[in-house]
């Protein structure tokens, strides 16, 4: 981490639900407050890199099959991704004189504890909060954009994703689905 006698570089880990503004906050702190912004999702954006593929798939599994259902997840599923992120942060600490802001969805206590254990002094957490209706509306807009990129209607996407068992497509059913699927357990 830090050289002997030098305090550990400050790391602020910004966390929140998807769509709340983690990246925007990191960009702001980088632009106006002198932080170096590191996107904790960067590993996920490299599925073509063999050493990133499995940790990413496993982290997605941790969210979908465990954490979104408010169930504990075995460490061997989520830890490889988090360890890669810790290694990146440690390298940044060695090369940066400025504080670092990391944006990443760290919902679960066991993951935060793991980060504290491996990153030690100088690590702080900042959790952004947002009204659930605002988060759901943002998800609804992303759903609409995704349907548009596929060249289909939102109703067709709803059926394609086999969500029609949750009722006809409308905002209320989308909201119920989104809360139960993505916000429960968080």
């Amino acid at each position: 981490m830090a050289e002997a006698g030098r305090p550990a570089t400050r790391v602020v880990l910004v966390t929140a639900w998807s769509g709340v503004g983690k990246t925007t906050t990191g960009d702001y702190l980088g632009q106006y407050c002198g932080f170096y912004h590191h996107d904790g999702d960067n590993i996920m954006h490299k599925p073509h890199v063999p050493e990133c593929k499995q940790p990413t798939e496993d982290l997605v599994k941790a969210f979908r099959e465990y954490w979104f259902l408010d169930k504990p997840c075995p460490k061997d599923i989520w830890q490889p991704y988090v360890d890669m992120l810790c290694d990146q942060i440690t390298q940044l600490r060695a090369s940066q004189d400025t504080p670092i802001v990391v944006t990443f969805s760290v919902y679960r206590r066991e993951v935060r504890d793991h980060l504290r254990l491996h990153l030690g002094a100088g690590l702080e957490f900042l959790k952004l909060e947002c009204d659930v209706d605002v988060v759901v509306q943002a998800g609804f807009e992303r759903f609409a954009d995704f349907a548009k990129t596929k060249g289909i209607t939102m109703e067709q996407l709803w059926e394609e994703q086999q969500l029609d068992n949750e009722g006809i497509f409308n905002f209320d059913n989308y909201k119920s689905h989104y809360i139960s699927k993505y916000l429960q357990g968080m």
Side-chain angles (χ1 to χ4, degrees):
M1 277 186 245
E3 297 170 19
R6 180 178 155 212
T9 301
R10 181 181 183 197
V11 174
V12 177
L13 203 147
V14 179
T15 188
W17 289 329
S18 178
V20 170
K22 295 180 298 292
T23 301
T24 301
T25 300
D27 289 345
Y28 179 90
L29 291 172
Q31 179 85 24
Y32 298 105
C33 300
F35 281 75
Y36 176 87
H37 179 199
H38 184 70
D39 183 349
D41 288 342
N42 75 85
I43 299 164
M44 289 184 186
H45 301 303
K46 302 175 195 170
H48 56 283
V49 177
E51 51 273 3
C52 297
K53 184 175 177 14
Q54 192 62 51
T56 295
E57 289 174 0
D58 287 345
L59 186 66
V60 170
K61 178 180 180 177
F63 278 103
R64 290 190 175 155
E65 296 181 21
Y66 295 91
W67 297 334
F68 286 153
L69 302 175
D70 202 19
K71 297 187 324 194
C73 180
K75 270 185 145 183
D76 63 317
I77 295 176
W78 58 263
Q79 189 172 335
Y81 188 102
V82 175
D83 284 346
M84 288 177 75
L85 181 59
C86 286
D87 290 345
Q88 289 177 346
I89 295 167
T90 299
Q91 290 172 6
L92 285 170
R93 278 181 151 175
S95 66
Q96 296 291 319
D97 289 329
T98 60
I100 301 163
V101 59
V102 179
T103 51
F104 185 60
S105 295
V106 186
Y107 300 126
R108 301 295 289 205
R109 176 64 182 243
E110 61 264 31
V111 178
R112 292 191 308 271
D113 289 346
H114 186 79
L115 288 162
R116 281 187 194 96
L117 178 68
H118 290 277
L119 298 175
L123 176 64
E124 304 168 41
F125 291 91
L126 172 63
K127 182 177 184 235
L128 305 179
E129 294 286 345
C130 188
D131 182 81
V132 171
D133 288 335
V134 173
V135 174
V136 171
Q137 183 64 46
F140 189 76
E141 291 168 12
R142 285 192 304 275
F143 191 80
D145 290 343
F146 185 52
K148 186 176 180 180
T149 63
K150 291 183 68 118
I152 60 177
T153 67
M154 293 172 73
E155 291 82 2
Q156 290 168 319
L157 182 58
W158 184 258
E159 290 173 15
E160 182 181 286
Q161 293 188 355
Q162 300 175 339
L163 300 173
D164 49 338
N165 64 342
E166 298 187 35
I168 62 166
F169 177 77
N170 61 37
F171 182 77
D172 289 336
N173 286 340
Y174 177 85
K175 179 179 178 179
S176 175
H177 163 74
Y178 194 89
I179 289 171
S180 69
K181 182 76 174 173
Y182 300 111
L183 302 183
Q184 180 179 332
M186 300 296 117

